[in-house]
Amino acid sequence: MKKNSFQDYLPFIVLAIVAIIGIFIPTLPNFADSGKYNTSDIAWILVASSLVFLMTPGLSFFYGGMVNRKNVISTMMQSFIATGLISVVWVVVGFSLAFGKSINGIIGDPTTFFMFKNVGSGAPWSLAPTIPLLLFALFQMKFAIITPALVVGAVAERIRFTSYVLFMVMFSLLVYAPIAHWTWHPDGILFKLGVLDFAGGTVVHISAGCAALAGALVLKRRKDHIEKKELQPANIPFVLLGTGLLWFGWFGFNAGSALGANALAATAFATTNTATAAAGLTWVFFDVVRGRKPSALGFCIGAVVGLVAITPATGYVAIPQSIFIGFIAAIISNMAVHWKSKTSIDDTLDVFPCHGLGGIVGMLLTGIFATKTINEAGNNGWFYGNFELFRNQVLGLLLVVSYSFVMSIAIFKIINLIHPLRVSEDEEALGLDATQHNEHYHPAMMSVNDNGTLREEELIHS
């Protein structure tokens, strides 16, 4: 057994300090004037919050099924740990930074809701007046959880678990919270500019996609990638399961962002499903056009791209236009994945081509197809004669792309000074399941007999 260093004790010490501080936070009564609440809205947002939470386990299966067999558990764990880690960070200070009293439209005052102080007793959020502030905070927590978990896919199979945990915390506080404040706080700089992002095109997908690209560049290439080894996905049924959970959970992600049980939620539900279906089909059919066979993996990746692309637009565009959004996003991401495979960029699971570019396409098309006919609180896009919205969308995404990419590179480099980001070559060769978690994934595998029939074998770990 290796001797522990101070770095090994530090996460436990920090959590212990937070737990002790929690004892001394005063307990206040719930918000008194609750007569303005709508019980139907409360019920729907409770369900939507649960659906969004389900997306992170779904993401774990989606990513875990695509990596090498010796890294399945580690990849799933790196995503899944966000459910615990970011939940605590959000309560302590994350919600305050994102939605606290605005400091010049840049960031929230960290003392506003420190340790969820005043959340239960506070008045409803101004843009969600029919549900308790606590419920709004919990709904937003689920977005904060999945965003850093998305970055895992770009740095999978080579990043140390402890280093990635530290990245999640720093990303959540220094990248996610500011961008959420800019975009969704009424005093945020992008909100005031008129940028439209219904459910997280900039806040979630562009920020995570650019951070993923930064991580891939800082951590550099895996040995298998340098040697151009073609590694087969460990478990495609995992990918199918993960896609199903993501698709199901995304209804809460997008339709829940209407913040009420209303017609806008129904529209967002419909556009989400339609764009996703169109993108999944487009990816498969486009593969066939390019001489490939239709694959389960292709449909799953295309569907996720559709989910990403429709996210910023879902409550602002009509259902027919959502087909076009899914169609175009799938083609662009498919081509980007193919181009990336010919470069030295080792984004393990194509997070930037799918989430980064998918979010960018969605934000731009929101600026084109948004219409006040669907959402009076929104704006008309370029397609309806208002170029100003498209211009604002471009300015908004340029700011988010630049900030997320530069800040994420800085975070990765700072962490590397504190604690090595990459595992050793020997650890990479053995696999992160064994070296980071002392666990192993041993499903049965199929092989071909001499007579051409299939036989099932048990994979034995050496």
Side-chain angles (χ1 to χ4, degrees):
M1 180 181 295
K2 78 177 184 71
K3 186 177 180 180
N4 286 343
S5 66
F6 177 72
Q7 291 178 338
D8 296 319
Y9 291 107
L10 189 57
F12 180 81
I13 292 171
V14 171
L15 182 58
I17 291 171
V18 168
I20 293 169
I21 291 174
I23 297 173
F24 301 99
I25 301 298
T27 302
L28 301 175
N30 286 337
F31 179 64
D33 188 14
S34 59
K36 63 179 65 177
Y37 294 154
N38 182 304
T39 54
S40 297
D41 291 348
I42 292 174
W44 165 234
I45 302 305
L46 283 169
V47 171
S49 300
S50 301
L51 290 172
V52 181
F53 179 86
L54 186 65
M55 291 170 64
T56 303
L59 180 70
S60 297
F61 277 103
F62 183 74
Y63 279 172
M66 288 195 286
V67 295
N68 187 274
R69 192 180 297 272
K70 61 188 177 183
N71 296 308
V72 172
I73 296 171
S74 65
T75 302
M76 296 181 74
M77 177 61 170
Q78 285 165 7
S79 286
F80 201 74
I81 193 70
T83 57
L85 186 68
I86 306 304
S87 290
V88 174
V89 171
W90 191 250
V91 167
V92 176
V93 72
F95 182 58
S96 292
L97 293 175
F99 294 98
K101 182 180 178 181
S102 185
I103 301 175
N104 299 320
I106 303 297
I107 195 68
D109 185 339
T111 66
T112 306
F113 302 114
F114 177 72
M115 295 292 284
F116 259 30
K117 176 188 67 175
N118 300 324
V119 172
S121 60
W125 184 247
S126 61
L127 302 179
T130 62
I131 63 174
L133 178 62
L134 175 59
L135 180 54
F136 174 76
L138 293 175
F139 179 66
Q140 290 295 336
M141 176 195 288
K142 312 310 179 186
F143 288 70
I145 286 171
I146 197 170
T147 306
L150 291 169
V151 184
V152 170
V155 296
E157 303 192 319
R158 62 197 185 279
I159 193 167
R160 291 182 186 275
F161 175 73
T162 49
S163 297
Y164 194 76
V165 167
L166 181 55
F167 168 80
M168 282 189 173
V169 174
M170 295 180 70
F171 176 88
S172 178
L173 299 178
L174 300 178
V175 178
Y176 179 84
I179 294 175
H181 188 84
W182 302 346
T183 307
W184 289 333
H185 194 289
D187 295 324
I189 54 175
L190 294 185
F191 191 99
K192 285 188 170 181
L193 181 63
V195 172
L196 298 182
D197 182 0
F198 192 77
T202 54
V203 182
V204 177
H205 298 292
I206 295 177
S207 70
C210 292
L213 180 60
L217 295 175
V218 172
L219 269 82
K220 298 183 171 55
R221 303 166 71 185
R222 293 163 294 158
K223 186 176 180 181
D224 288 339
H225 190 267
I226 294 171
E227 295 174 352
K228 300 186 183 302
K229 290 183 179 178
E230 186 174 347
L231 301 175
Q232 296 301 315
N235 194 322
I236 290 178
F238 271 17
V239 181
L240 287 162
L241 174 61
T243 304
L245 292 173
L246 284 168
W247 196 330
F248 180 61
W250 224 290
F251 293 131
F253 198 82
N254 286 357
S257 292
L259 298 173
N262 50 39
L264 184 59
T267 298
F269 194 109
T271 54
T272 298
N273 190 71
T274 306
T276 305
L281 292 173
T282 300
W283 194 288
V284 171
F285 296 161
F286 191 61
D287 275 350
V288 172
V289 169
R290 301 183 66 183
R292 301 173 182 173
K293 291 185 178 180
S295 67
L297 191 63
F299 181 81
C300 289
I301 295 172
V304 170
V305 169
L307 289 165
V308 170
I310 196 59
T311 290
T314 185
Y316 298 119
V317 302
I319 297 169
Q321 284 73 46
S322 68
I323 299 175
F324 182 82
I325 291 173
F327 175 78
I328 291 298
I331 291 175
I332 291 174
S333 289
N334 188 302
M335 293 176 67
V337 168
H338 179 69
W339 172 83
K340 192 224 71 176
S341 68
K342 296 181 178 182
T343 71
S344 60
I345 300 172
D346 187 10
D347 178 346
T348 312
L349 302 180
D350 300 319
V351 179
F352 179 75
C354 294
H355 289 273
L357 285 182
I360 289 171
V361 170
M363 285 296 292
L364 292 175
L365 293 181
T366 301
I368 294 174
F369 294 116
T371 170
K372 297 185 77 171
T373 302
I374 296 297
N375 188 344
E376 273 291 327
N379 206 340
N380 289 323
W382 193 4
F383 191 73
Y384 300 97
N386 182 20
F387 176 76
E388 183 181 1
L389 176 61
F390 181 77
R391 183 202 65 191
N392 292 341
Q393 297 295 102
V394 172
L395 292 174
L397 74 85
L398 286 176
L399 175 60
V400 172
V401 166
S402 302
Y403 179 79
S404 179
F405 182 72
V406 173
M407 183 60 76
S408 296
I409 282 186
I411 291 171
F412 277 115
K413 287 186 175 292
I414 290 169
I415 292 172
N416 200 39
L417 293 174
I418 300 170
H419 189 65
L421 282 171
R422 281 195 68 146
V423 297
S424 67
E425 287 188 13
D426 289 341
E427 289 174 320
E428 185 179 331
L430 286 170
L432 274 62
D433 290 358
T435 61
Q436 298 294 293
H437 306 289
N438 197 29
E439 294 174 315
H440 310 286
Y441 174 64
H442 296 302
M445 60 181 293
M446 304 302 295
S447 61
V448 182
N449 290 311
D450 293 337
N451 61 4
T453 61
L454 290 175
R455 70 171 180 273
E456 187 176 272
E457 297 177 344
E458 189 68 22
L459 182 67
I460 305 299
H461 178 77
S462 57

